[in-house]
Each structure stands twice: as C-alpha cells, then as structure tokens.
Amino acid sequence: MGLNDKGIETVRCAKKRTRRNADFLEFRALRDGHAVLVAHGFHNHFVMKYLKKKGWTKIRKNGNGYLSINIMGKVED
C-alpha cells in the first residue's frame, strides 16, 4: 500500500528481475537441456509470461494454490 516502502522491491523492479530470470532460465535450459525454478506464484507468473513471449509454451500444469508445477518447453527450428 506504500505505507512502509523502505527496502521493499517495487513491482517495476520485480518485473525486471523476473525478465532477467526468464532469460537466465532459457539460457540454461537450451545449454543444459533443462532448468528448474522454485519460486512464489507472482514470480512464476511473470517468468512464464516472458518465456511465452520468447516462444515457449506450457506443456503441463499440475496443482494449484500453494503448490503447483508448470512445465514449459520450446521447439527449436
């Protein structure tokens, strides 16, 4: 709510961080064949959003609420 904003990450900064994480995950997945991210829902939501923009698709989604697993994949040309 902005009442105590000292040292708290802004939404803009969080989105930038998730974009960097999506780039890193893509790099590692393409280099190593797979990568794993364990994070909270807000972060995962935006990482998946950025990966989709880069051509990744959701292959599988299991669970919801506090525990879920999303598997993303990308077909290289």
Side-chain angles (χ1 to χ4, degrees):
M1 293 179 60
L3 300 174
N4 180 11
D5 59 357
K6 293 183 180 178
I8 297 173
E9 183 178 41
T10 65
V11 172
R12 177 181 279 176
C13 288
K15 286 182 178 181
K16 286 181 183 179
R17 180 170 50 89
T18 58
R19 188 180 301 265
R20 287 192 311 267
N21 290 166
D23 291 341
F24 178 75
L25 282 169
E26 180 178 47
F27 167 76
R28 292 299 295 259
L30 295 175
R31 187 188 77 178
D32 299 334
H34 64 276
V36 175
L37 169 68
V38 178
H40 58 81
F42 176 86
H43 189 81
N44 290 341
H45 169 78
F46 283 101
V47 167
M48 287 176 34
K49 177 181 171 182
Y50 296 132
L51 287 174
K52 285 179 181 179
K53 286 182 179 180
K54 296 171 90 126
W56 291 73
T57 58
K58 188 184 299 185
I59 296 172
R60 187 170 182 184
K61 177 180 178 13
N62 283 349
N64 54 29
Y66 292 110
L67 181 61
S68 64
I69 298 170
N70 296 292
I71 301 173
M72 304 286 291
K74 184 174 186 181
V75 176
E76 290 296 314
D77 296 330

